Amino acid sequence: MAKKTGNTCTGLVFIIGALCMCLRDFSPAIVGRLTPLAGRSAPMSLRGKMAMRQGPPETSSEDKAEAEKRKLAAKQLADKRPRLAPIPMPFGDVSLDLSMMSYNQFVPRMYNMCKGLGFRKGKILPSIGFCSDENQGYPTILITKHFGAYPFNHGYIGGIMALDRHGPHAGHADDVVLVHAPHVGFEPDLQVYGTYRRRQIAANADSGDMQMSGTCGKVVGVLQPYIDTYNALLGRIRVKVEGEEVLISLSRLLLPSDEKSDEDLSISLQFDELLEEGALENPYLRQSSTSIFRASTSFSEKFKQIVSSEELSEEGVVEGGWRSLKNSKLRHLLTPDMFTFVKSAEKLQGEEHRLERSLLPNLPDVFTSPYDNELSASLICMQSEFDRSVHSVAAEPAYKGKNLMLISGLNIDVSPAQELQEAFPTTMFLPWAAYVQLKDGSRRVIEQSELVSELFSHSTENEDAIDMEESIRELFVRKRSRITFFDSNTNKKKAAQVL
């Protein structure tokens, strides 16, 4: 038996060692078509701001040396010049350049940031608000390693936060950290978001390649009906130049009607920006299934400019010279202010539809932006859930009198190469914002630029991190406690036999 146990121990230690291996810092070029920016300035450190009212504390030589290191790190970051413009989003612009970091750097920096705020070693219980996908395992393992405790769970599928779990979380520790991160796949070979190579899916019979699948699958599933509806809309809008005028042909399905639609999902057009004033009451021509209108001045100018300056493909051209807005060079003419999605309220009830409710008002911007739909949707989830979570944790009585940090960002799952089927996935973390509430009652929100600088100023070395291989090995040599049950009939404790 001893020999068998030893072999089992060795095998498990090997497996855990492989899982806990810190991957190389991998920062692929995952965003393109962005413009240069000026350099960033280094904000005052978080610890400094929160300690202002308390006066200057006494510092040891080690503290002074650490402060100098952090000051140098902040200067190094401030001296770097971003090359990519931030992405405009509903809750504020999101910077990807000089912001994201690999998880093996992010987690120890986050832990050291917590300790710098007064969180105590061995008293911190992390909680994760991650999706349920299997490729979120590596971040979870690293959080366990650096915080010395397997994280509590605040997450629903899709990166939605379960905000009814604060009480149990708070009751398990003196200091608490919540890490919220929806996720999106990134395929470096194709340079696209929203897909991920999984070795668990049967390989292509012809090539032997691992198959791609949507990531996050919940986000992809929510978006697909809206994408289909949007593409159908583009196909029902046709445009052409006739003489000096630009004409727009619209399917009658798109025109205002007094009849209630039977469809759960539809699109409502905003005609003021699309058609000339009074066009709905006085169309250019009525036909059996369509109506033709004169376009608005602004739409006409944009369409004429494209026609005169670009060689348009025959994509979407139909009889009579009409061009469908499905044409890749024309689809952007339908701007976000020209349409909205309409869905039955009954179909949006419940927590399982929260992601859809968050995305719905922003989908016109998602579909008309130059970025992949899945990336934009994941960033919206990140922002909206942080906003919702801040108000929830700040009002939670169970968190009062504790050190607390809520940090939100986006997990970017970099698809493994075909030849690295056994490799653990590389996950990047894009910080968005944090909320800090200390036991003395002080609290504040840290915006992205300051949060990135604060994290970057901390070391990637964590002297408190646990040796997970040794922890697993210790389980096999520790004296096992008896598992007993109290029998009220005999008033005796009985021990169960363990195999």
Side-chain angles (χ1 to χ4, degrees), residues 196-266:
Y196 186 83
R197 182 182 287 113
R198 286 180 163 89
R199 66 184 180 89
Q200 291 86 355
I201 300 178
N204 184 288
D206 297 325
S207 66
D209 291 347
M210 289 184 287
Q211 298 298 292
M212 301 291 183
S213 62
T215 301
C216 169
K218 175 67 173 179
V219 172
V220 172
V222 168
L223 289 180
Q224 194 56 57
Y226 293 91
I227 292 173
D228 295 341
T229 304
Y230 173 62
N231 287 332
L233 169 69
L234 295 176
R236 290 169 178 160
I237 303 176
R238 298 169 181 176
V239 190
K240 76 172 182 178
V241 176
E242 188 163 294
E244 295 298 318
E245 295 181 311
V246 173
L247 302 179
I248 296 179
S249 173
L250 298 178
S251 166
R252 288 196 186 279
L253 294 173
L254 303 178
L255 299 179
S257 173
D258 293 332
E259 294 187 17
K260 185 177 180 180
S261 174
D262 295 330
E263 298 181 1
D264 291 331
L265 175 61
S266 60

Side-chain angles (χ1 to χ4, degrees), residues 240-465:
K240 76 172 182 178
V241 176
E242 188 163 294
E244 295 298 318
E245 295 181 311
V246 173
L247 302 179
I248 296 179
S249 173
L250 298 178
S251 166
R252 288 196 186 279
L253 294 173
L254 303 178
L255 299 179
S257 173
D258 293 332
E259 294 187 17
K260 185 177 180 180
S261 174
D262 295 330
E263 298 181 1
D264 291 331
L265 175 61
S266 60
I267 288 185
S268 174
L269 281 175
Q270 310 302 316
F271 297 101
D272 293 346
E273 296 296 324
L274 186 63
L275 308 178
E276 72 171 2
E277 186 176 357
L280 285 178
E281 295 76 21
N282 185 28
Y284 179 86
L285 179 66
R286 287 189 175 94
Q287 296 180 315
S288 58
S289 60
T290 61
S291 290
I292 299 174
F293 306 92
R294 293 177 178 86
S296 67
T297 301
S298 60
F299 187 95
S300 297
E301 291 174 351
K302 293 175 183 176
F303 182 74
K304 287 180 178 179
Q305 184 178 7
I306 294 174
V307 172
S308 62
S309 63
E310 296 193 40
E311 184 179 339
L312 292 177
S313 67
E314 295 303 307
E315 174 190 3
V317 177
V318 296
E319 185 179 354
W322 292 97
R323 293 184 179 275
S324 164
L325 288 192
K326 273 191 172 181
N327 188 300
S328 57
K329 298 290 181 63
L330 299 177
R331 60 193 300 128
H332 71 277
L333 290 175
L334 193 70
T335 55
D337 58 336
M338 293 182 179
F339 67 103
T340 56
F341 288 95
V342 180
K343 187 164 184 176
S344 168
E346 295 79 26
K347 300 292 184 179
L348 293 170
Q349 299 301 314
E351 200 66 17
E352 68 271 22
H353 295 295
R354 181 173 294 280
L355 175 62
E356 188 172 0
R357 293 199 301 272
S358 299
L359 294 178
L360 183 55
N362 301 295
L363 288 178
D365 292 286
V366 170
F367 294 150
T368 56
S369 80
Y371 313 106
D372 292 326
N373 295 333
E374 295 80 3
L375 172 62
S376 297
S378 297
L379 290 173
I380 290 172
C381 176
M382 172 191 77
Q383 291 186 326
S384 63
E385 284 301 285
F386 176 76
D387 179 65
R388 194 169 71 95
S389 299
V390 164
H391 294 91
S392 177
V393 299
E396 174 57 50
Y399 286 139
K400 295 294 187 291
K402 295 180 181 291
N403 291 323
L404 173 147
M405 182 167 74
L406 163 68
I407 185 167
S408 189
L410 179 66
N411 286 348
I412 301 175
D413 309 318
V414 182
S415 189
Q418 175 64 30
E419 63 274 12
L420 295 176
Q421 294 190 19
E422 300 300 325
F424 222 94
T426 300
T427 305
M428 309 295 291
F429 183 76
L430 173 66
W432 164 239
Y435 169 75
V436 173
Q437 177 177 298
L438 299 183
K439 61 193 314 180
D440 64 3
S442 59
R443 57 176 68 184
R444 65 185 295 259
V445 172
I446 315 166
E447 301 297 343
Q448 187 187 23
S449 61
E450 183 178 355
L451 176 59
V452 171
S453 296
E454 182 69 23
L455 286 168
F456 188 77
S457 71
H458 286 280
S459 173
T460 57
E461 298 294 325
N462 176 13
E463 61 183 16
D464 299 336

Side-chain angles (χ1 to χ4, degrees), residues 37-59:
L37 288 178
R40 70 168 82 211
S41 60
M44 181 187 293
S45 73
L46 172 62
R47 184 77 183 273
K49 285 187 175 181
M50 300 194 77
M52 281 178 66
R53 57 183 171 182
Q54 301 174 1
E58 296 183 6
T59 55

Side-chain angles (χ1 to χ4, degrees), residues 56-68:
E58 296 183 6
T59 55
S60 65
S61 57
E62 291 82 2
D63 290 337
K64 291 180 179 178
E66 179 64 22
E68 287 301 317

